[in-house]
Amino acid sequence: MTRLIAVANQKGGVGKTTTSINLAAYLAINGAPTLLVDMDPQSNATSGLGISPRELTKTIYDCLMRSARASEAIVQTGVSQLSVLPANRDLAGAEVELIQVLSRELVLKRSLDHVLNDYRYVIIDCPPAFGLLTINALAAATSVVVPVQCEYYAMEGLGWLMANVERVRQSLNQQLELEGVLLTMFDIRNTLARQVAEEVRAHFKEKVFKTVIPRNVTLAEAPSYGRPALLYNAGSAGAQAYLEFAKELMSHGEESPR
């Protein structure tokens, strides 16, 4: 059964796109057909895989607003077994235009339904806001990964997000569950980072991934070359951390198949 995993946090700069790209890339490299869906108008997941948003003829926007089939917009990346349903700036308009659409929260789910059998994993990169694009992602997903930067306001934003996830679960998608909280941009030398990590683990307990993503220059550089960290500098601490995270996430599926 296809696992649809939304990567979401309404706070920006926490590593959502970095997580989406590197998770999707490893799953594909491991042999699982994987689709990365770019639901962020900034289209960084698209450009981060070497695809120019300006040169696209069809994007996720066309699927959401113009009834295009997802299969018509999906692009194969340079990573074997990894495809992307790309975005460009047009997607910014969908946030407003979706208001007029019947069952507007379920448009993405309907768009993806006919391609699900082609993939083992679908990873959805959400925008840094809790609007209709993120709601569509959560309504389509089977679970959500929440990247959390180890900084001062992390818990406050996390509580708000989880309340919204629960609202989506109750009203739109009863199968939606928390896959886990992923600690990102962690600096072991920073006392505050260690305190935040401890607080998150105390609150969410076993729902926090054991893997922690460190601050790492490779993770910052790789997108500018249009490559996931695993193909840019596989030996780096950042690439190895995402490798371990992907393995951990895959083991969740083996323990409790959906």
Side-chain angles (χ1 to χ4, degrees), residues 60-239:
I60 185 64
Y61 173 83
D62 297 285
C63 301
L64 298 175
M65 304 310 309
R66 296 176 179 169
S67 301
R69 293 176 66 84
S71 56
E72 298 172 355
I74 289 173
V75 178
Q76 176 62 41
T77 73
V79 181
S80 178
Q81 300 274 37
L82 177 59
S83 301
V84 62
L85 184 47
N88 59 20
R89 292 181 181 179
D90 291 346
L91 187 57
E95 195 75 65
V96 175
E97 295 170 45
L98 278 168
I99 294 173
Q100 309 298 325
V101 177
L102 186 66
S103 300
R104 55 186 175 269
E105 302 91 349
L106 301 174
V107 178
L108 177 63
K109 184 179 187 302
R110 292 195 295 266
S111 296
L112 293 177
D113 276 348
H114 79 278
V115 298
L116 291 186
N117 289 338
D118 296 332
Y119 301 99
R120 177 68 182 90
Y121 293 94
V122 176
I123 309 299
I124 309 173
D125 183 36
C126 298
F130 200 85
L132 277 172
L133 294 177
T134 297
I135 291 172
N136 263 266
L138 294 176
T142 52
S143 64
V144 55
V145 168
V146 183
V148 175
Q149 185 178 358
C150 297
E151 62 172 22
Y152 184 63
Y153 288 113
M155 283 298 292
E156 179 180 321
L158 189 53
W160 181 36
L161 174 68
M162 294 316 302
N164 284 327
V165 168
E166 180 59 21
R167 291 188 185 99
V168 172
R169 191 187 69 80
Q170 291 184 5
S171 61
L172 295 169
N173 183 4
Q174 293 185 358
Q175 69 174 333
L176 181 65
E177 62 181 53
L178 175 62
E179 188 77 45
V181 176
L182 177 67
L183 298 170
T184 64
M185 303 181 189
F186 182 75
D187 185 347
I188 196 170
R189 300 167 299 180
N190 187 308
T191 300
L192 177 59
R194 296 198 302 272
Q195 291 174 343
V196 170
E198 290 171 5
E199 187 176 0
V200 172
R201 291 193 184 280
H203 185 78
F204 287 95
K205 298 180 171 57
E206 72 281 354
K207 282 297 185 178
V208 182
F209 287 100
K210 294 177 182 177
T211 305
V212 176
I213 308 301
R215 285 193 177 275
N216 180 252
V217 67
T218 290
L219 298 179
E221 290 178 349
S224 65
Y225 291 89
R227 308 181 78 182
L230 288 165
L231 296 183
Y232 175 68
N233 182 1
S236 67

Side-chain angles (χ1 to χ4, degrees), residues 231-245:
L231 296 183
Y232 175 68
N233 182 1
S236 67
Q240 288 299 306
Y242 272 113
L243 178 67
E244 292 305 313
F245 164 59

